[in-house]
Amino acid sequence: MEDCIFCRIAAGEMDADIVHSDERVVAFRDINPQAPVHVLVIPRKHLRSAFDLEGEDGDLLLHLFKVIRKVSEDEGIAGTGVRILTNVERGAGQSVFHLHFHVLGGRQMLWPPG
Ligand code: AMP
């Protein structure tokens, strides 16, 4: 998807503050952070949202969560509290249509979310 900004970040064609990169997953800091730690974890594979995941993506989904845990540990928030979320479609707040998990921490998270 050449018009997808997260595909471009994953391909190294667009700058980002990358905190993790491997053959299947990239993690980088959100450009508009909502908490002291706000990292986006994405698959290199272009999927529009979590609802595009299929059975063949089971290993990828597990790997995404392993990276989320590693990033949380590296950022020092794994033990204090981590909000992991993904928005699906505009009504939920999705603005970039490439599957990504927000990893937030470093402050008290509130509930309900806005
Ligand atoms: P969502 O609204 O759930 O689709 O999340 C998209 C997120 O991507 C937002 O939190 C944006 O701040 C973030 N974002 C958009 N463009 C970039 C970029 N070039 N680098 C880092 N984060 C970005």
Side-chain angles (χ1 to χ4, degrees), residues 21-99:
S21 179
D22 64 41
E23 68 282 356
R24 284 184 289 172
V25 171
V26 178
F28 50 94
R29 296 191 195 284
D30 195 294
I31 202 167
N32 182 24
Q34 301 300 311
V37 175
H38 188 172
V39 171
L40 302 174
V41 179
I42 71 167
R44 289 184 182 277
K45 176 181 178 179
H46 183 85
L47 295 165
R48 176 181 168 89
S49 77
F51 285 1
D52 269 12
L53 287 159
E54 299 286 355
E56 67 188 23
D57 300 313
D59 284 351
L60 174 61
L61 187 58
L62 177 60
H63 186 57
L64 282 160
F65 273 87
K66 285 182 174 176
V67 171
I68 289 168
R69 186 179 70 195
K70 177 185 178 296
V71 166
S72 300
E73 290 168 351
D74 291 350
E75 297 291 325
I77 59 171
T80 52
V82 185
R83 175 74 51 84
I84 303 161
L85 68 89
T86 188
N87 296 317
V88 177
E89 299 302 333
R90 291 190 196 279
Q94 187 174 8
S95 60
V96 178
F97 292 88
H98 180 126
L99 172 62

